[in-house]
């Protein structure tokens, strides 16, 4: 079973749909939120602190704003996941879980989890460190469908603009909308009626920023065709939209 947690499991929570769902699928083990001081940190921290009240296994927010200062124009922070992984290990956890069903970042790929697992084991012999992405073969829609709606409604936040409520126009909001439709769930932000198929699909690119371009640039050639949602899920989203 992919979902098994160990006694020393910790989930790196970003408070997005993927990581919250990953945490839930694993039986809600310990988790941590790293504050890199981004534009959307405040609403994420707000939700993480609320979640901590009900789940004391969540450890305090870790201040990583010093690293966030390296944020690039496309909002990518070099080495973020490496620093977070090592820090989680240094805090005493040996099973470090990342969520990455749709990730284009080089520091979330399989080679990254294998290399960091090895580096940690070399650095501290005798500890069976494991860095993993147990649901990397699941799509965002599948993760959402497998998670109680209330958990996501109350605690998930995924918007590049950092507005409260989420803007509904950026690529993160657009992907959440399509994934919710594909999962048979009500989208988290208002959705215009009268869109055509292409217009609905284009929500994934967002109208409020250029994240799509930068994501494409960071992909390797073999990954250009990679989609976070499968074709049949996009069709299911379209059918759900038309029925509204
Ligand atoms: Zn947004």
């Amino acid at each position: 079973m992919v979902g098994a947690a160990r006694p020393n499991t910790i989930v790196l929570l970003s408070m997005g749909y993927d990581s919250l769902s990953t945490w839930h699928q694993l039986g809600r083990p310990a988790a941590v939120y790293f504050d890199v001081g981004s534009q959307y940190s405040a609403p994420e921290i707000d939700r993480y602190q609320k979640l901590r009240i009900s789940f004391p296994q969540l450890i305090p927010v870790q201040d990583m704003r010093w690293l966030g200062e390296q944020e690039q124009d496309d909002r990518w922070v070099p080495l973020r996941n490496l620093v977070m992984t090592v820090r989680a290990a240094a805090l005493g956890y040996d099973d470090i879980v990342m969520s990455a069903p749709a990730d284009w970042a080089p520091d979330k790929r399989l080679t990254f989890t294998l290399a960091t697992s090895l580096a940690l084991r070399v650095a501290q012999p005798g500890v069976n460190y494991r860095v993993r992405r147990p649901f990397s073969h699941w799509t965002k829609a599948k993760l959402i469908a497998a998670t109680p709606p209330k958990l996501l409604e109350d605690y998930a936040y995924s918007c590049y603009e950092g507005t409260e409520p989420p803007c509904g126009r950026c690529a993160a909001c657009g992907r959440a909308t399509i994934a919710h439709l594909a999962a048979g769930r009500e989208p988290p932000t208002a959705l215009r009626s009268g869109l055509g198929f292409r217009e609905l699909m284009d929500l994934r690119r967002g109208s409020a920023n250029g994240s799509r371009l930068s994501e494409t640039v960071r992909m390797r050639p073999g990954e250009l065709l990679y989609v976070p949602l499968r074709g049949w899920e996009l069709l299911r989203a379209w059918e759900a939209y038309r029925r509204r």
Side-chain angles (χ1 to χ4, degrees), residues 32-229:
V32 58
Y33 177 88
F34 291 98
D35 175 16
V36 293
S38 68
Q39 192 174 342
Y40 36 87
S41 288
E44 290 174 354
I45 291 171
D46 183 52
R47 284 160 176 77
Y48 183 81
Q49 300 290 28
K50 270 198 304 183
L51 191 61
R52 273 193 81 206
I53 294 171
S54 304
F55 299 95
Q57 64 269 43
L58 272 59
I59 70 173
V61 170
Q62 302 291 301
D63 186 356
M64 287 220 315
R65 286 174 291 179
W66 58 272
L67 183 65
E69 290 170 11
Q70 309 301 321
E71 187 177 72
Q72 302 190 350
D73 290 343
D74 61 5
R75 302 175 189 198
W76 190 57
V77 180
L79 303 182
R80 170 167 53 186
N81 287 303
L82 181 60
V83 176
M84 294 194 312
T85 300
V86 171
R87 184 153 171 177
L91 285 166
Y93 297 89
D94 62 11
D95 182 32
I96 296 141
V97 173
M98 310 168 66
S99 62
D103 268 293
W104 44 273
D107 56 352
K108 277 200 159 186
R109 295 187 179 127
L110 180 62
T111 46
F112 172 84
T113 56
L114 294 175
T116 47
S117 298
L118 181 62
L120 288 165
R121 291 181 191 197
V122 168
Q124 190 177 4
V127 181
N128 193 25
Y129 283 113
R130 184 168 61 163
V131 181
R132 59 188 177 116
R133 312 168 305 161
F135 303 99
S136 59
H137 56 296
W138 286 30
T139 63
K140 188 184 287 291
K142 185 172 179 180
L143 283 166
I144 288 171
T147 306
K150 186 99 174 89
L151 180 73
L152 299 178
E153 286 164 17
D154 289 350
Y155 300 106
Y157 187 87
S158 181
C159 173
Y160 290 145
E161 297 301 308
T163 55
E164 198 74 89
C167 77
R169 296 185 312 277
C170 72
C173 283
R175 282 196 289 262
T177 293
I178 303 287
H180 275 76
L181 288 172
R185 296 276 177 85
E186 186 62 22
T189 54
L191 182 55
R192 273 190 297 143
S193 55
L195 298 178
F197 178 76
R198 179 49 53 194
E199 289 171 304
L200 184 71
M201 295 300 119
D202 279 350
L203 293 179
R204 294 173 298 159
R205 301 180 187 186
S207 58
N209 64 60
S211 63
R212 178 67 185 182
L213 178 63
S214 56
E215 289 178 17
T216 303
V217 167
R218 289 204 194 284
M219 286 180 181
R220 293 178 297 193
E223 292 166 332
L224 284 174
L225 294 175
Y226 182 82
V227 285
L229 290 158

